[in-house]
Amino acid sequence: MAEVRLEHISKIYQAEKKDAIIKKAVNDISFDIKDKEFMVIVGPSGCGKSTLLRMIAGLEEISEGSLLIDGERMNDIDPKDRDIAMVFQNYALYPHMTVYDNIAFGLKLKRFSKKDIHERVMQTAELLEIKDELQRKPKALSGGQRQRVAIGRAIIRRPKVFLFDEPLSNLDAKLRSQMRIELQKLHREIDATMIYVTHDQVEAMTLGIRIAVLNKGQLMQLDTPMHLYNYPNNKFVAGFIGSPTMNFLKGIIQYNDGYYFVHESSDCKIFLGTEIRDALKNYINKPIEIGVRPEDFFINDNDANKPDCTLKIIASENMGNEQLVYFSLADQILIVRRPSYKDVYITAKAGLIFSKNKILYFDAASGDVIR
Ligand code: ADP
Ligand code: MG
């Protein structure tokens, strides 16, 4: 059992200059991580992910708020007594020791018997598929193997909670996606609570059972991957999750025998229907921003349909299974994704139809989604 609870946790680093404005690296974050959950914390570089993880591990003092593990307050408990293991981006293996000794090290310190240590090292090596590497030194291993040893060193202690701080960032793309699968498998096999930090939204989406999105020290949204994708709370989350990123268009909603979204350039006028939600009616003739994912358009190739706008195509990329088409709208580029079934000729114009029921609306000032 290991349930982790964060209650109004903040981190204030001492300001370097006197009178400097106090900046909270982590600002009033609260959430629960359930027993055996795989929770991912994602956000851009510098948003406070490592600071938050280090506070959970006890490597950094908690300035405000409480950290509870299984209901017990941990703020003043020594890191070694928290029953937590952490895996970093830099594996920090002991270079002069064999893989076997690197993995066994923590148990030796805890004065486990030779026999117990051997059993657990073999079990761990089996789980991580590094049995053939046990007598080698770290420098003779590939990046992926080294990271497995680092993970082995963490799991052999069988802690209640695992913390991972961007453990795959130093690996190449192919190895990273392979290790993502292995981490899921590992999570299933050892059944522990895991908290995983990354700046990579693809990694977050593929690994997380739930994902906490951070920006500038604050929690933007905590949700399942699909919920984050389909129901973002604000423009930050909408733009951060998904690749290529969501298209944002500024404009106003007008009524003229039906409701229209009119882009600020007037080059795009989308008929929304004869009825719209009440919340949106409050925004009529006021600045608003809409968000549309690349897959939520149709490129009009049937003359019977009237497009919402006709725009110039500036480029297209064929990915084999799908095609990305880049349209020019005033001074911005709209990215449209569709199955590859036709060649699109650069510089041609094409009609675009927006999937009306997929459009997200944001308050232009706050960036909050309008529900
Ligand atoms: P992330 O891991 O998301 O990239 P960090 O948690 O490392 O972000 O950093 C969050 C913010 O706190 C950054 O603005 C960073 O410069 C600042 N910061 C991190 N460590 C310290 C420190 N020891 N002293 C002062 N500021 C720090
Ligand atoms: Mg970091």
Side-chain angles (χ1 to χ4, degrees):
M1 256 297 282
E3 203 177 78
V4 181
R5 167 167 283 192
L6 281 56
E7 288 180 347
H8 302 289
I9 287 191
S10 293
K11 179 71 192 183
I12 302 159
Y13 286 115
Q14 283 303 334
E16 277 169 23
K17 280 183 240 145
K18 239 176 118 189
D19 306 328
I21 298 163
I22 291 181
K23 199 189 110 202
K24 292 185 174 181
V26 169
N27 193 348
D28 193 18
I29 288 190
S30 301
F31 59 84
D32 290 348
I33 299 139
K34 294 183 212 134
D35 185 39
K36 302 189 171 91
E37 188 171 20
F38 198 124
M39 168 76 88
V40 174
I41 300 172
V42 70
S45 173
C47 73
K49 304 179 297 293
S50 293
T51 302
L52 187 60
L53 211 60
R54 290 170 61 81
M55 284 193 284
I56 296 172
L59 302 173
E60 201 74 70
E61 203 184 320
I62 296 169
S63 309
E64 291 166 357
S66 301
L67 169 72
L68 299 129
I69 298 181
D70 291 337
E72 198 186 332
R73 195 168 190 269
M74 287 287 133
N75 292 48
D76 304 316
I77 306 283
D78 212 63
K80 70 175 187 338
D81 299 325
R82 289 190 191 189
D83 206 5
I84 286 178
M86 190 152 163
V87 179
F88 299 92
Q89 177 177 351
N90 302 315
Y91 332 115
L93 302 177
Y94 299 109
H96 58 285
M97 288 186 196
T98 61
V99 168
Y100 187 103
D101 289 334
N102 263 287
I103 295 176
F105 189 73
L107 297 186
K108 278 189 188 158
L109 284 184
K110 287 194 167 177
R111 301 191 183 282
F112 274 57
S113 75
K114 260 208 160 116
K115 182 171 159 286
D116 286 349
I117 290 176
H118 185 72
E119 251 171 41
R120 281 214 201 174
V121 170
M122 296 317 283
Q123 238 176 21
T124 306
E126 175 115 16
L127 190 66
L128 295 168
E129 293 170 27
I130 44 174
K131 266 179 122 168
D132 295 339
E133 270 65 53
L134 285 171
Q135 294 316 317
R136 299 168 82 180
K137 298 267 175 70
K139 69 171 187 308
L141 304 179
S142 69
Q145 288 170 330
R146 279 183 217 166
Q147 194 52 286
R148 275 166 221 250
V149 178
I151 293 169
R153 212 168 45 173
I155 63 177
I156 198 164
R157 286 168 36 206
R158 296 180 191 162
K160 278 203 243 180
V161 182
F162 287 96
L163 307 178
F164 295 93
D165 194 353
E166 313 229 13
L168 308 185
S169 296
N170 285 345
L171 307 179
D172 64 49
K174 187 159 171 255
L175 202 53
R176 245 190 348 251
S177 70
Q178 190 186 330
M179 283 297 285
R180 286 207 291 262
I181 311 243
E182 306 240 339
L183 280 170
Q184 289 188 31
K185 197 171 128 222
L186 183 74
H187 176 243
R188 223 164 277 154
E189 279 166 18
I190 64 179
D191 240 3
T193 306
M194 295 188 170
I195 309 175
Y196 187 102
V197 158
T198 177
H199 67 273
D200 179 351
Q201 60 92 18
V202 174
E203 202 162 292
M205 292 291 276
T206 51
L207 279 175
I209 296 173
R210 288 193 303 157
I211 302 173
V213 184
L214 258 57
N215 186 34
K216 296 181 181 160
Q218 286 178 306
L219 179 63
M220 296 281 106
Q221 189 167 355
L222 195 161
D223 236 318
T224 60
M226 283 330 286
H227 235 258
L228 282 179
Y229 192 80
N230 292 314
Y231 308 101
N233 280 344
N234 51 52
K235 201 184 152 192
F236 177 82
V237 174
F240 190 76
I241 303 287
S243 172
T245 191
M246 184 181 278
N247 299 288
F248 294 105
L249 287 79
K250 286 185 182 151
I252 55 169
I253 293 180
Q254 286 181 343
Y255 182 81
N256 184 358
D257 267 352
Y259 295 91
Y260 291 86
F261 170 82
V262 184
H263 185 250
E264 57 186 5
S265 70
S266 304
D267 289 348
C268 202
K269 191 171 174 182
I270 309 165
F271 177 61
L272 302 175
T274 50
E275 242 337 295
I276 54 171
R277 302 194 313 256
D278 284 345
L280 287 176
K281 287 183 184 160
N282 296 331
Y283 282 84
I284 288 174
N285 293 326
K286 289 183 198 153
I288 197 167
E289 204 159 348
I290 65 169
V292 189
R293 296 233 178 255
E295 60 271 29
D296 294 333
F297 294 94
F298 298 98
I299 295 176
N300 194 19
D301 31 30
N302 177 352
D303 289 339
N305 300 325
K306 190 180 170 312
D308 295 312
C309 45
T310 300
L311 301 174
K312 200 170 145 189
I313 294 171
I314 52 170
S316 69
E317 290 176 305
N318 226 317
M319 325 288 274
N321 64 323
E322 63 178 22
Q323 200 175 38
L324 298 178
V325 187
Y326 297 77
F327 287 86
S328 157
L329 170 61
D331 57 358
Q332 74 182 106
I333 291 170
L334 297 187
I335 305 180
V336 175
R337 187 201 325 252
R338 67 165 184 175
S340 288
Y341 57 92
K342 250 182 198 174
D343 282 325
V344 173
Y345 296 102
I346 293 177
T347 74
K349 278 192 165 194
L352 265 187
I353 297 173
F354 290 65
S355 301
K356 312 290 179 306
N357 59 344
K358 294 290 184 65
I359 296 175
L360 295 174
Y361 299 84
F362 301 97
D363 183 294
S366 70
D368 288 341
V369 81
I370 304 163
R371 294 210 202 275

